[in-house]
Amino acid sequence: MRLIKSARDLDELLQIYQSSGHAFNDRHYSGLWVTLRKRVVDKHLGLTSMKGLDTFRKVCEDTATMISNELISQRALSSILHTLVAARLSGHGPWDRIWTESATALTRADLSMFSAQSICNIVWAFAHVKDAHSEVFPMLEHAVMTRLQNRAQREEFISQGIGSLAWSFATAGHTSPALFDALANVAHERLSEFNAHELSNVAWAFATAKSSAPRLFDGIATRAIPSLSAFT
């Protein structure tokens, strides 16, 4: 893992995979994708500039196969999907099968065993490929609703996670009234924990979902009035 994180550029990272990828487990794959994102985004390099495109395609195929064979943990899966979006790998490309196998794996998974953070990351990630994999949202809604209806499990969602869920489901066009009513109740309870940017995103999400949520909007207005400059 240390070798992956210390890779100085994409070519070195792919060389590591070429020589040692056969021994990778889910933590290695998660670490590889996180490091790849940093080299692509932080260094402003396009994937088309990579010399090892064949190796990169193999990384994508092998990651998808690991997911298909249920050899990737829920934590690693959420990390990989989150990283794909951050690296702008949500359009068509060699990584398509990762998204497809992930969607299929979620239909088989016991989502009650996923952490609140993993669920938030997965919903956020699939919101960016909503047109290709809309089938995942009903099951993700069920997982979220089950947690929101259980007081102890509801507390596992941080305020940022609640805002992220509202934004993600609204972005995906999955705007079940029951879901947004439940999210509105929790968001209203946590209003004091949101910063100005998060409040703006929450307001946008509920407006986009056409959810009236009067208590929530009144609370957002009350919070916003003293600090309107923070929203500009």
Side-chain angles (χ1 to χ4, degrees):
M1 183 66 76
R2 188 162 43 202
L3 196 60
I4 293 171
K5 291 181 178 178
S6 64
R8 290 166 297 180
D9 54 37
L10 286 169
D11 289 337
E12 183 176 340
L13 183 63
L14 293 174
Q15 285 169 10
I16 291 168
Y17 188 78
Q18 206 164 23
S19 61
S20 306
H22 63 279
F24 273 26
N25 59 27
D26 65 337
R27 290 181 62 251
H28 292 112
Y29 277 99
S30 177
L32 181 144
W33 281 105
V34 169
T35 304
L36 186 144
R37 178 197 66 79
K38 290 178 179 177
R39 300 300 176 264
V40 171
V41 177
D42 295 352
K43 302 298 183 183
H44 303 289
L45 295 175
L47 285 169
T48 53
S49 69
M50 290 166 41
K51 294 179 181 177
L53 278 174
D54 287 342
T55 304
F56 174 70
R57 291 189 184 97
K58 181 170 172 53
V59 169
C60 292
E61 280 299 309
D62 290 350
T63 302
T65 299
M66 288 282 287
I67 294 169
S68 175
N69 292 337
E70 301 182 5
L71 297 174
I72 298 285
S73 69
Q74 53 98 353
R75 181 176 181 180
L77 178 64
S78 73
S79 173
I80 289 168
L81 295 179
H82 190 276
T83 299
L84 286 176
V85 174
R88 306 185 186 102
L89 306 181
S90 54
H92 292 300
W95 47 84
D96 279 355
R97 188 171 161 238
I98 297 176
W99 289 105
T100 300
E101 295 295 352
S102 296
T104 301
L106 289 171
T107 66
R108 301 192 302 258
D110 180 0
L111 295 180
S112 68
M113 301 301 293
F114 283 43
S115 72
Q117 187 59 55
S118 290
I119 290 174
C120 289
N121 285 350
I122 290 169
V123 176
W124 179 84
F126 272 101
H128 292 78
V129 292
K130 58 185 184 297
D131 295 331
H133 298 290
S134 59
E135 75 277 9
V136 302
F137 289 99
M139 68 187 81
L140 291 172
E141 175 190 350
H142 179 73
V144 171
M145 288 290 287
T146 300
R147 284 177 176 272
L148 293 180
Q149 290 164 358
N150 180 298
R151 187 167 191 83
Q153 292 184 329
R154 185 165 67 239
E155 294 301 318
E156 295 175 10
F157 288 111
I158 62 174
S159 58
Q160 186 180 31
I162 295 297
S164 172
L165 287 171
W167 181 91
S168 299
F169 279 113
T171 297
H174 188 85
T175 55
S176 156
L179 172 63
F180 274 83
D181 285 349
L183 287 171
N185 289 335
V186 180
H188 183 264
E189 292 173 2
R190 308 274 188 85
L191 271 179
S192 62
E193 301 173 19
F194 289 104
N195 62 34
H197 179 70
E198 290 165 350
L199 284 175
S200 177
N201 283 343
V202 168
W204 176 88
F206 280 86
T208 299
K210 296 181 171 57
S211 173
S212 57
R215 285 201 314 149
L216 177 61
F217 279 111
D218 287 347
I220 291 174
T222 300
R223 283 282 317 277
I225 289 170
S227 54
L228 282 175
S229 60
F231 285 84
T232 60

